[in-house]
């Protein structure tokens, strides 16, 4: 197998092997799998197809590296992350192009992701040196309690394809800051970014074995093997609720510390007193950032009846004005979706919603030709229960329905098993805060179309997940609490 690939527009060769114990290697089976360019379905690279033996070797390496890394002075771990932040920032263009090539996303989205991804390293570089503890006096006197925080241990980090860099840095940042070692299983569609990121971390001084990467086409067996390894202590997963539930069941067998960032079905509520142009700007961000392939993507629009037609018209106009094409092409604002399965799902959801009675304002038809393209689509008069409202579309589709009262908006918005994020636009701050408190979600964008921020505790309620990533909370997911009790 080749151990790296040269790609158009990317200066350095991109590694394509497994990264275990600081070494690049072929899969134990010698097999590779294909990574495709979503713009035309052509072959981009062949990547080592990790086996269950390979993931066990990665757990060996992570386990061997753990005691030394856990004992590394926090300042040193901090500086590794700070250097990695700097390298990512210096090589932003290259990383953005790579993500655009393997994921399909438009370059502006890829650049925004890279900035966001690098910030996790800077944020957690700052958190690494602030892991605190305390000294307590027992209420009855005499006994003293010293509370301290230690790294959880060996972590398995399973990531999705929609943000190939950021979904990984927001796990690796806190893991490294806390002194944990990791085995990374990147998504099949986008392993190259994870592999290049591993190379950057090594260059930044992260010791061998602290970060190991095992791409594979056999996620089910490879992940299950690592989950059953008694040396593993934590799983952090970002992906579908369906797979999250499988992993939580596996985690139960070893009582693994579990962080789950799962599916969403975000409502976007526009009140009649909102600044409509600001609401449309926010909707474009919440809906179209990353082509709609985000768990935070606005999935359902609830607009108060008096402003619904005006909002829908303005949104359709903005959506229709987007430029579709190969993500790396100049001026493109909407790339292809990641793969055939994703574009077929979007097509099925739109067709099902139109069959249920919705009206198409723009888009709505999958284009002929190569690549996994779907046009920006706005649907109105969407009946309750239509697939575009109940399923997470993960594509450039905005279904709009109306409401009359805030109570009705809340009932509609909360009628889902998911609760990741919700958006509210209103000119009345008190009204907005009342709605924000009553919305069943881990995050609310109030007069904002994007909530993600490395300094904020990202995460969901209900079936959208467990735990928080980013913020002060983020490092806590990789630490365990211990106390020493003694008489004085
Ligand atoms: P999506 O629907 O966004 O592709 P998935 O939940 O299927 O999300 O995938 C997210 C990650 O989980 C990917 O890295 C994928 O390889 C992995 N994965 C998928 N199925 C399984 C499984 N049965 N067990 C473990 N990991 C899985």
């Amino acid at each position: 197998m080749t151990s790296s690939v040269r790609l158009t527009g990317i200066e350095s060769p991109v590694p394509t092997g497994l990264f275990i114990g600081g070494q690049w290697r072929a899969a134990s089976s010698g097999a590779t799998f294909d990574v495709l360019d979503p713009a035309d379905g052509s072959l981009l690279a062949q990547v080592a197809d990790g086996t269950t033996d390979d993931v066990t070797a990665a757990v060996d390496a992570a386990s061997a590296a753990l005691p030394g890394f856990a004992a590394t002075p926090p300042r040193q771990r901090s500086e590794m992350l700070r250097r990695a932040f700097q390298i990512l920032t210096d090589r932003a263009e290259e990383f953005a192009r790579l993500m655009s090539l393997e994921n399909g996303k438009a370059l502006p989205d890829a650049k925004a992701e890279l900035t966001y991804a690098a910030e996790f390293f800077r944020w957690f570089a700052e958190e690494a040196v602030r892991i605190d503890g305390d000294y307590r006096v027992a209420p009855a006197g005499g006994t003293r309690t010293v509370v301290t925080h230690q790294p959880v241990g060996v972590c398995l980090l399973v990531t999705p394809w929609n943000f190939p860099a950021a979904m990984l840095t927001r796990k690796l940042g806190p893991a490294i800051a806390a002194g944990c070692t990791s085995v990374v299983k990147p998504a099949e569609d986008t392993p190259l970014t994870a592999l290049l990121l591993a190379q950057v971390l090594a260059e930044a001084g992260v010791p061998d074995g602290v970060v190991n990467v095992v791409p594979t086409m056999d996620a089910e067996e490879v992940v299950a093997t690592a989950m059953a390894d008694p040396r593993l202590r934590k799983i952090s997963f970002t992906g579908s609720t369906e797979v999250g539930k499988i992993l939580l069941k596996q985690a139960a067998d070893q009582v693994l510390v579990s962080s789950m960032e799962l599916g969403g079905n975000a409502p976007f509520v526009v009140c009649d007193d909102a600044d409509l142009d600001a609401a449309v700007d926010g909707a474009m961000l919440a809906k179209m950032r990353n082509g709609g392939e985000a768990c935070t993507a606005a999935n359902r629009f609830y607009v108060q009846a008096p402003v619904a037609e005006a909002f829908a018209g303005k949104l359709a106009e903005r959506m229709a004005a987007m430029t579709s094409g190969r993500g790396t092409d100049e001026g493109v604002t909407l790339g292809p979706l990641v793969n055939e399965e994703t574009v077929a799902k979007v097509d099925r959801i739109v067709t099902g919603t139109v069959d249920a009675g919705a009206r198409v304002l723009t888009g709505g038809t999958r284009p002929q030709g190569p690549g996994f393209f779907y046009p920006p689509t706005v649907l109105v008069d969407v009946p309750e229960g239509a697939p575009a409202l109940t399923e997470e579309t993960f594509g450039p589709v905005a279904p709009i329905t109306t409401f009359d009262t805030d109570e009705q908006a809340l009932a509609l918005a909360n009628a889902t098993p998911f609760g990741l994020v919700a958006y509210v636009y209103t000119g009345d701050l008190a009204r907005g805060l009342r709605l924000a408190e009553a919305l069943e979600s881990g995050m609310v964008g109030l007069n904002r179309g994007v909530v993600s921020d490395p300094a904020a505790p990202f995460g969901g309620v209900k079936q959208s997940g467990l735990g928080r990533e980013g913020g002060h909370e983020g490092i806590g997911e990789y630490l365990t609490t211990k106390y020493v009790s003694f008489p004085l």
Side-chain angles (χ1 to χ4, degrees):
M1 62 162 276
T2 53
S3 55
S4 64
V5 63
R6 288 219 165 251
L7 295 167
T8 320
I10 301 190
E11 304 91 89
S12 51
V14 179
T16 53
L18 311 176
F19 188 61
I20 298 176
Q23 304 293 317
W24 295 99
R25 46 163 111 161
S28 59
S29 62
T32 60
F33 66 93
D34 295 347
V35 179
L36 304 183
D37 177 345
D40 57 13
S42 65
L43 180 71
L44 205 57
Q46 292 184 307
V47 168
D49 188 0
T51 63
T52 54
D53 284 348
D54 293 323
V55 85
T56 299
V59 177
D60 289 346
S63 183
L66 181 66
F69 193 60
T72 306
R75 176 64 72 199
Q76 284 184 22
R77 301 199 302 266
S78 169
E79 284 171 355
M80 291 169 201
L81 287 170
R82 191 65 175 72
R83 282 193 294 272
F85 162 76
Q86 197 56 53
I87 299 170
L88 278 188
T89 305
D90 294 346
R91 293 172 63 180
E93 185 71 30
E94 187 181 354
F95 266 90
R97 291 194 79 83
L98 180 60
M99 287 193 280
S100 185
L101 283 176
E102 67 174 348
N103 165 282
K105 65 176 71 185
L107 259 186
D109 278 327
K111 286 180 184 167
E113 177 182 350
L114 195 276
T115 303
Y116 177 51
E119 281 299 337
F120 281 105
F121 284 165
R122 177 153 70 172
W123 173 262
F124 285 106
E126 291 155 353
E127 289 292 287
V129 288
R130 314 225 186 295
I131 299 169
D132 61 6
D134 61 27
Y135 181 97
R136 303 177 191 180
V137 179
T143 305
R144 301 293 192 266
T145 305
V146 176
V147 180
T148 183
H149 296 108
Q150 297 182 316
V152 162
V154 178
C155 306
L156 176 63
L157 313 178
V158 180
T159 54
W161 47 258
N162 61 341
F163 292 98
M167 296 303 97
L168 189 49
T169 59
R170 79 173 173 191
K171 298 185 192 307
L172 278 176
I176 290 169
C180 293
T181 59
S182 303
V183 174
V184 174
K185 207 304 280 172
E188 301 82 329
D189 289 304
T190 57
L192 298 171
T193 305
L195 293 170
L196 193 61
L197 206 57
Q199 196 180 56
V200 164
L201 287 168
E203 196 183 322
V206 173
D208 293 352
V210 170
V211 174
N212 307 277
V213 185
V214 183
T216 179
M217 276 308 276
D218 189 8
E220 193 174 335
E221 287 301 317
V222 165
V223 169
T225 299
M227 293 289 283
D229 192 306
R231 297 166 297 178
L232 194 75
R233 285 311 326 139
K234 177 180 173 72
I235 168 74
S236 178
F237 172 73
T238 300
S240 61
T241 296
E242 187 191 350
V243 174
K245 287 178 184 178
I246 295 172
L247 298 186
L248 277 172
K249 285 177 186 152
Q250 293 175 0
D253 283 342
Q254 290 212 80
V255 195
L256 295 178
V257 176
S258 302
S259 303
M260 295 279 147
E261 206 265 272
L262 309 178
N265 182 359
F268 191 105
V269 178
V270 183
C271 300
D272 57 1
D273 57 3
D275 173 337
L276 223 50
D277 288 327
V280 172
D281 286 344
M284 286 302 291
L285 262 178
K287 178 70 259 179
M288 296 309 294
R289 191 170 71 107
N290 224 40
E293 292 175 313
C295 51
T296 51
N299 201 56
R300 308 169 282 154
F301 289 79
Y302 297 113
V303 187
Q304 205 159 11
V307 296
E309 202 178 321
F311 175 85
K314 283 171 186 269
L315 183 63
E317 200 177 308
R318 290 278 296 278
M319 294 274 275
M322 292 189 81
T323 306
S324 279
R326 174 183 285 279
T328 48
D329 282 355
E330 188 68 30
V332 164
T333 50
L334 178 64
L337 297 174
V338 71
N339 55 28
E340 172 58 33
E341 189 188 344
T342 303
V343 72
K345 178 184 171 190
V346 171
D347 195 30
R348 172 182 61 74
I349 288 175
V350 171
T351 306
T353 302
V354 170
D355 288 349
R359 199 156 50 83
V360 179
L361 282 195
T362 186
T365 310
R366 185 177 174 180
Q368 305 283 321
F372 311 124
F373 291 94
Y374 200 88
T377 297
V378 177
L379 305 173
V380 291
D381 303 334
V382 180
E384 232 176 291
L389 301 177
T390 57
E391 293 189 49
E392 188 180 25
T393 305
F394 241 64
V397 179
I400 302 177
T401 57
T402 61
F403 70 91
D404 295 315
T405 65
D406 288 10
E407 290 65 36
Q408 203 186 353
L410 282 172
L412 289 165
N414 288 338
T416 165
F418 302 101
L420 189 62
V421 61
Y423 303 90
V424 178
Y425 271 79
T426 169
D428 175 348
L429 185 59
R431 182 182 183 186
L433 288 173
R434 273 194 298 275
L435 286 166
E437 284 189 13
L439 282 161
E440 295 168 357
S441 62
M443 302 170 286
V444 178
L446 178 51
N447 293 335
R448 282 207 74 194
V450 60
V451 295
S452 304
D453 181 341
F458 189 104
V461 299
K462 294 160 83 176
Q463 293 192 24
S464 286
L466 298 173
R468 293 293 179 267
E469 295 191 297
H472 304 300
E473 291 83 349
I475 196 167
E477 304 273 323
Y478 294 84
L479 292 168
T480 180
T481 302
K482 176 185 274 182
Y483 69 80
V484 181
S485 172
F486 60 96
L488 200 69

